[in-house]
């Protein structure tokens, strides 16, 4: 009997790395090349929000020469969350077995991807963590370190999500796990998206594991982090926490209002 044909990444299947971009022309070529070198079997989808700096056209040029690279050109800047949801839907329509979230700015080392995918053989969701033993954070100013540590502490205490890096954006989702999560309820636009998905994954009861990563401050291009994005995360985490506590109130029935 002949061996079954193996497609994609061993033990995981067909993998799509979704890279959301807004004005990342200086970074995209290098990151795509590093992903292709680190994990040659995976496909890439650049989800660009009509970047004024021409990132979308650059991605199209790469897609024209490499069948593993694809582009989703979106109308305008709608936030990280909307770009990822569009990428997830793109992957679902094409039958991918797993989706990876990765920033375009080089903060998420493509060289860590094989370790994340290896962990995905035995997990539904893999979070590349900056705050677990063995992880490294390079060149981040103290205020960013504090923001991330405090944000994660608050998310863990308020929502009970049992991970060290609920705000981290370097992840693998098995498609079955995404299917078990009510993505239609997702409302985050900015980086609270990562916390919201951590919460939904936890509530769906899927297996979440964390893998240490080496996270580096972006070297080129501008950060899209803003006080508004921090405020959105604080406000949303607080709202979810209050809703969870109200739902757990003795005698309250909240059937049908799961998220
Ligand atoms: N498509 C799309 N991508 C976005 C949007 N906002 C941010 N991104 C991308 O999301 C990724 C993370 O954004 P960053 O600006 O690096 O944010 P960050 O990593 O939290 O902040 P820094 O550490 O300061 O860089 C990058 O690849 C961005 O280009 C958006 O509105 N639409
Ligand atoms: Mg960044």
């Amino acid at each position: 009997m002949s061996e079954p044909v193996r497609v994609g990444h061993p033990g995981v299947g067909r993998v799509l790395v979704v890279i959301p971009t807004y004005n990342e022309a200086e970074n995209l070529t290098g990151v795509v090349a590093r992903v292709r070198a680190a994990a040659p079997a995976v496909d890439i989808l650049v989800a660009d929000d009509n970047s004024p700096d021409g990132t979308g056209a650059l991605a199209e040029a790469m897609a024209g020469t490499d069948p593993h690279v694809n582009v989703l050109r979106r109308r305008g800047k709608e936030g990280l969350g909307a770009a990822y949801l569009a990428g997830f839907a793109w992957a679902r329509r094409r039958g991918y077995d797993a989706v990876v979230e990765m920033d375009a700015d080089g903060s998420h080392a493509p060289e860590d991807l094989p370790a994340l995918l290896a962990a995905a053989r035995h997990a539904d969701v893999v979070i590349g963590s900056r705050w677990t033993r063995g992880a490294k954070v390079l060149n981040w100013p103290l205020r960013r370190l504090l923001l991330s540590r405090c944000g994660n502490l608050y998310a863990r205490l308020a929502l009970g999500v049992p991970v060290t890096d609920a705000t981290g954006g370097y992840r693998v989702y098995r498609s079955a796990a995404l299917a078990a999560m009510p993505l239609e309820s997702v409302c985050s636009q900015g980086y609270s998206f990562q916390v919201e998905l951590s919460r939904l994954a936890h509530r769906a009861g899927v297996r979440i594991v964390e893998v240490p990563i080496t996270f580096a401050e972006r070297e080129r291009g501008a950060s899209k982090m803003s006080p508004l994005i921090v405020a959105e995360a604080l406000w949303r985490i607080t709202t979810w926490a209050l809703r969870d506590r109200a739902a757990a109130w003795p005698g309250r029935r909240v059937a049908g209002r799961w998220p």
Side-chain angles (χ1 to χ4, degrees):
M1 221 162 70
S2 62
E3 280 279 300
V5 179
R6 293 187 203 287
V7 179
H9 202 83
V12 182
R14 291 178 63 226
V15 177
L16 182 71
V17 179
V18 180
I19 305 179
T21 53
Y22 193 75
N23 287 346
E24 301 288 1
E26 290 174 276
N27 293 311
L28 190 63
T29 313
V31 166
V32 167
R34 286 168 63 193
V35 172
R36 298 287 292 116
V42 308
D43 290 338
I44 296 171
L45 177 68
V46 178
D48 184 68
D49 276 8
N50 201 14
S51 298
D53 76 345
T55 304
L58 186 66
E60 296 273 16
M62 284 189 273
T65 59
D66 183 346
H68 284 275
V69 180
N70 306 273
V71 191
L72 184 59
R73 295 192 81 164
R74 294 163 44 76
R75 255 175 321 170
K77 186 162 173 23
E78 289 181 12
L80 186 78
Y84 268 131
L85 289 177
F88 294 171
W90 195 96
R92 192 177 58 241
R93 286 194 298 274
R94 287 159 182 81
Y96 281 92
D97 299 297
V99 181
V100 176
E101 297 180 353
M102 182 189 285
D103 286 0
D105 58 0
S107 288
H108 299 149
E111 295 71 25
D112 283 337
L113 185 55
L116 267 71
L117 291 174
R121 290 172 172 206
H122 309 289
D124 300 307
V125 178
V126 179
I127 298 181
S129 173
R130 295 162 292 188
W131 306 120
T132 197
R133 187 188 288 270
K136 288 197 193 102
V137 177
L138 308 177
N139 300 330
W140 242 14
L142 185 63
R143 72 186 161 75
R144 287 302 300 267
L145 288 170
L146 285 174
L147 184 64
S148 180
R149 291 312 295 250
C150 294
N152 270 299
L153 185 66
Y154 185 50
R156 197 159 61 242
L157 292 177
L159 303 175
V161 178
V163 297
T164 63
D165 202 352
T167 63
Y170 195 7
R171 301 180 172 198
V172 184
Y173 290 98
R174 303 288 290 240
S175 297
L178 284 178
M181 294 157 61
L183 296 180
E184 67 288 347
S185 71
V186 171
C187 49
S188 297
Q189 285 169 359
Y191 307 126
S192 63
F193 178 76
Q194 306 299 358
V195 181
E196 185 164 15
L197 261 68
S198 303
R199 174 175 175 268
L200 292 184
H202 177 52
R203 291 174 70 106
V206 301
R207 284 169 303 166
I208 306 174
V209 301
E210 290 188 287
V211 168
I213 58 168
T214 297
F215 178 97
E217 169 68 315
R218 69 158 69 235
E219 287 176 5
R220 286 174 292 275
S223 168
K224 282 97 216 170
M225 176 65 99
S226 70
L228 204 69
I229 280 170
V230 178
E232 184 200 13
L234 262 180
W235 177 71
R236 290 206 189 277
I237 292 170
T238 306
T239 309
W240 294 322
L242 291 174
R243 201 187 296 170
D244 289 351
R245 277 160 185 70
W249 209 266
R252 280 289 300 273
R253 279 189 53 82
V254 287
R257 300 198 53 212
W258 185 76

